[in-house]
Amino acid sequence: MSLSSAGPSPQEGSSTCPGTPEGTTPAAGGPPTCAGVAPELVRSVLERIGDKWSVIVICRLGPEPRRFNELRRLVDGITQRMLTATLRGLERDGLVTRSVFPTVPLRVEYALTDSGRTLLDVVQALVGWAGANAETVHVARTEFDRRAREQPQPVGAG
Amino acid sequence: MSLSSAGPSPQEGSSTCPGTPEGTTPAAGGPPTCAGVAPELVRSVLERIGDKWSVIVICRLGPEPRRFNELRRLVDGITQRMLTATLRGLERDGLVTRSVFPTVPLRVEYALTDSGRTLLDVVQALVGWAGANAETVHVARTEFDRRAREQPQPVGAG
DNA sequence: CTGCATCCACAGGGATACTG
DNA sequence: CAGTATCCCTGTGGATGCAG
């Protein structure tokens, strides 16, 4: 299996988030932080929500519990392998619960936990940002991309 | 160069974010959305903030403009190649500006743009969540990991 | 229906050497 | 100091086949 962060990385820190990192340059001798949290921890979250499917799955689990193939249809382009892996990772982090119903065709339902719901809130903020800045980013990207084809050769441009 | 999303993907959508996707199962014939936004777009953002370095760099650029090697020291484990690539990607998306000072040793400063600052805000919420749930996630992860070594062989366990 | 194991292709990302 | 190009390893994730 080749999931992300499979090894033990016990770097919990103080779990405090003051939120006032005003130019304190803590990197010079102290532990490099983002907003009072170690980047290792940030990395951990990013790896979880940035693995291409976790966020979408979390959003789909928002309203109500979902069955495996139900999620599979909802997520659209996801493969069985990835859905399983994503769900397992989310379950491992205590973000979703896995309920097995020993019926004949076998039924498994997934639902967000309390922690998962709090993450959903943050994730939706991210999605909201994406929606609000989609056009801006697209324009900037196009501009940059276009300009990158004119700047490269300042010599002989005239 | 092997940056992410180098190809043109003009799927901007309506850039609207109602936030009320109540069980409407839009996947059956309609465009799969997360909170009113297409997953393609979400993917785009996630690829940007989930690429292992972007978030940390954005946070470091939060307070004030930074020079190249200054950032390099602040981010800690980043390589020159990755810092350049990350900065370029951020610049491409209009999230950061690149100012060149043609001095003798040559000086380049990077700073967040307006869009970058709004993303910083969202990102910090994410970092905040990471800090607040670090311990909880770590515990859940340990529990799950430990339980995974006992469940696999229910047969012959008694 | 749900899930795991294997094979395989591609892209992200690290180390290093070179240029301006 | 700042940046680019090359080499190469690894993880991520897709396709498929098998099992409970």
Side-chain angles (χ1 to χ4, degrees):
Chain A
M1 190 175 289
S2 57
L3 273 174
S4 60
S5 59
S9 46
Q11 72 290 41
E12 32 212 276
S14 322
S15 72
T16 53
C17 186
T20 51
E22 294 283 67
T24 48
T25 58
T33 59
C34 193
V37 187
E40 296 289 286
L41 202 154
V42 179
R43 191 84 53 76
S44 188
V45 178
L46 270 309
E47 279 178 16
R48 178 62 53 207
I49 67 115
D51 68 352
K52 190 180 184 183
W53 297 114
S54 291
V55 170
I56 305 180
V57 170
I58 288 174
C59 288
R60 291 301 182 292
L61 287 173
E64 52 191 299
R66 301 286 189 182
R67 293 188 58 182
F68 188 82
N69 278 312
E70 186 179 8
L71 271 174
R72 196 174 174 180
R73 283 189 293 274
L74 256 43
V75 177
D76 182 47
I78 197 170
T79 60
Q80 179 278 325
R81 174 177 153 71
M82 282 301 101
L83 182 54
T84 300
T86 302
L87 251 12
R88 291 262 298 190
L90 258 24
E91 186 193 358
R92 195 174 114 100
D93 286 11
L95 268 25
V96 312
T97 57
R98 179 172 175 273
S99 305
V100 182
F101 297 78
T103 55
V104 179
L106 184 53
R107 178 194 185 84
V108 181
E109 285 194 351
Y110 294 88
L112 287 178
T113 62
D114 187 58
S115 297
R117 254 178 276 277
T118 61
L119 179 56
L120 208 208
D121 200 53
V122 177
V123 159
Q124 286 188 330
L126 199 62
V127 174
W129 185 90
N133 297 74
E135 202 169 351
T136 303
V137 170
H138 178 62
V139 171
R141 195 174 294 189
T142 304
E143 285 278 304
F144 183 90
D145 207 45
R146 183 177 58 73
R147 216 174 304 178
R149 272 193 288 273
E150 301 175 14
Q151 297 286 11
Q153 59 275 42
V155 294
Chain B
M1 190 175 291
S2 56
L3 274 176
S4 60
S5 61
S9 46
Q11 71 292 39
E12 32 211 272
S14 325
S15 73
T16 54
C17 186
T20 51
E22 296 281 69
T24 49
T25 59
T33 59
C34 193
V37 188
E40 297 289 286
L41 201 155
V42 178
R43 191 83 55 76
S44 187
V45 177
L46 271 309
E47 278 177 17
R48 177 61 54 205
I49 67 117
D51 69 349
K52 191 180 184 181
W53 295 115
S54 291
V55 170
I56 305 179
V57 171
I58 289 174
C59 288
R60 291 299 183 292
L61 287 172
E64 51 191 299
R66 301 285 188 183
R67 294 186 57 179
F68 188 83
N69 279 314
E70 185 179 9
L71 272 173
R72 196 174 175 181
R73 283 188 292 274
L74 256 41
V75 177
D76 179 47
I78 197 171
T79 59
Q80 179 278 328
R81 175 177 151 68
M82 282 300 99
L83 181 55
T84 301
T86 301
L87 251 15
R88 291 263 298 187
L90 258 24
E91 186 192 1
R92 196 174 113 100
D93 286 10
L95 268 25
V96 311
T97 57
R98 177 172 176 277
S99 306
V100 182
F101 299 78
T103 55
V104 178
L106 185 53
R107 177 195 186 84
V108 181
E109 284 194 350
Y110 293 89
L112 287 180
T113 62
D114 187 57
S115 298
R117 255 178 275 277
T118 60
L119 179 56
L120 209 210
D121 200 52
V122 178
V123 159
Q124 286 188 329
L126 199 62
V127 175
W129 185 91
N133 298 73
E135 200 170 350
T136 303
V137 170
H138 178 61
V139 171
R141 193 173 294 188
T142 305
E143 286 278 304
F144 183 89
D145 208 44
R146 182 176 57 75
R147 216 174 305 178
R149 273 193 289 272
E150 300 174 17
Q151 296 287 10
Q153 57 274 43
V155 294

